Amino acid sequence: MAREAGEGGDVRHWSLSRVCSCRCSDAVPVWRAATGPLAPHGRCGLVRVSESVTGLLSLQRIFLVVLALQGGLALILLQRKGLIRLSRATLLSGLIGIIVLAGGTLVVVQHERLNLTNATPIAEDARVVQWRAVLLRIAQNPVIGSGIGREVMRKAHRDLIPDSSFWHAHNVFLNYGLEMGLPGILALGWVFFSLLREYWRFYNSTDEKLKLLGIAGLMLILGVVLRNQVNDMFIRDAAILFWAVNGALLGYGHRRSRQVVLER
């Protein structure tokens, strides 16, 4: 987004790109935990601390929401398969702690945004108004859309752009819908669903390493999809990183699956 808008040198825009990349890096420590014997919990903790600091400094509200959801869901999935052993009280306390910490941090971040920038309250966010207009425009041409590329709003729907910062829909599914209509939205949804289905199969395997890989993949898809509901960073280096990590996880997972079958 920063390079297309001509603001590639801004530190804040670098942070935005880094935060987007962090959603993919969630999978890396869990993958290493599944493929190597060294201190997996330490690696996961280090990555989480790094992500939290990055998200806080970049003042990204959605980042905090996604991080909390990932943390809570990962705890539940790990507990469900016996990969960690926590009492119900401990698990519940952990989930409540995640919610409280994320909520408190979100309040601080929103306060800082209002003090340091021209940000508006969440209820008055210009993206909400723009999303309604984009949905109506998609409904007008639901079969073929208005043309390929994120520049489509500038080319075919300039009246939807309130200012230079809102030249696309700030939602990956709406951008695909504006470009290619409902078929574009369905195609993108099917891609994410297919990945989730593969990782869910890993998670339900009898092999512990495959279970960890499954959780890593599920967190990866969850993070990328949710992060891109309020922007569209599923492009360039972030998209390349996404597919590279998926390739590593799926490649190792299917090879491991064959090994498990042969060992029976």
Side-chain angles (χ1 to χ4, degrees):
M1 180 184 73
R3 288 192 292 274
E4 292 188 24
E7 300 173 346
D10 190 283
V11 174
R12 176 65 57 77
H13 284 78
W14 177 88
S15 297
L16 292 176
S17 177
R18 180 70 186 101
V19 168
C20 182
S21 298
C22 279
R23 308 289 15 103
C24 293
S25 69
D26 289 334
V28 176
V30 186
W31 175 48
R32 291 292 300 150
T35 58
L38 298 177
H41 299 298
R43 282 193 294 267
C44 289
L46 183 61
V47 169
R48 279 300 180 188
V49 170
S50 173
E51 288 185 340
S52 299
V53 172
T54 303
L56 185 61
L57 293 178
S58 61
L59 302 181
Q60 290 296 291
R61 296 167 299 192
I62 187 63
F63 172 86
L64 298 170
V65 174
V66 173
L67 190 64
L69 288 173
Q70 285 180 317
L73 183 58
L75 274 179
I76 293 172
L77 292 175
L78 288 166
Q79 172 76 359
R80 182 172 176 265
K81 290 296 183 180
L83 297 172
I84 58 173
R85 300 188 182 280
L86 300 174
S87 66
R88 289 187 177 182
T90 302
L91 178 62
L92 182 60
S93 298
L95 294 175
I96 293 174
I98 289 173
I99 294 172
V100 172
L101 181 60
T105 309
L106 186 61
V107 171
V108 172
V109 166
Q110 178 64 9
H111 179 73
E112 288 299 316
R113 285 173 64 94
L114 293 174
N115 286 338
L116 298 177
T117 69
N118 294 323
T120 59
I122 296 176
E124 301 175 12
D125 197 309
R127 283 172 291 194
V128 177
V129 177
Q130 190 183 45
W131 288 338
R132 298 192 191 104
V134 170
L135 284 170
L136 291 174
R137 204 59 57 90
I138 292 172
Q140 292 175 5
N141 199 358
V143 178
I144 61 174
S146 302
I148 303 297
R150 291 205 313 163
E151 295 279 344
V152 66
M153 191 178 290
R154 282 177 172 163
K155 296 176 180 178
H157 306 286
R158 295 193 65 86
D159 59 303
L160 296 180
I161 304 176
D163 60 61
S164 60
S165 300
F166 290 89
W167 54 271
H168 65 90
H170 285 77
N171 179 292
V172 65
F173 288 102
L174 292 183
N175 273 337
Y176 272 67
L178 203 59
E179 295 169 26
M180 296 174 280
L182 292 179
I185 296 176
L186 293 174
L188 182 63
W190 182 256
V191 168
F192 289 130
F193 172 77
S194 298
L195 292 170
L196 287 171
R197 182 178 56 189
E198 288 301 306
Y199 290 126
W200 187 253
R201 288 174 179 169
F202 289 164
Y203 175 68
N204 285 302
S205 169
T206 57
D207 182 72
E208 182 174 309
K209 290 185 177 181
L210 284 175
K211 292 175 183 177
L212 286 170
L213 282 173
I215 294 174
L218 292 171
M219 295 305 101
L220 168 62
I221 306 304
L222 175 67
V224 169
V225 170
L226 292 182
R227 174 64 186 89
N228 285 288
Q229 295 310 294
V230 294
N231 208 325
D232 185 0
M233 294 183 170
F234 197 55
I235 58 169
R236 295 183 179 149
D237 51 348
I240 292 172
L241 177 60
F242 174 80
W243 290 116
V245 175
N246 271 292
L249 292 174
L250 292 172
Y252 179 81
H254 283 288
R255 185 177 66 181
R256 179 69 184 176
S257 297
R258 289 194 295 270
Q259 291 175 348
V260 170
V261 171
L262 292 175
E263 290 172 359
R264 289 178 180 174

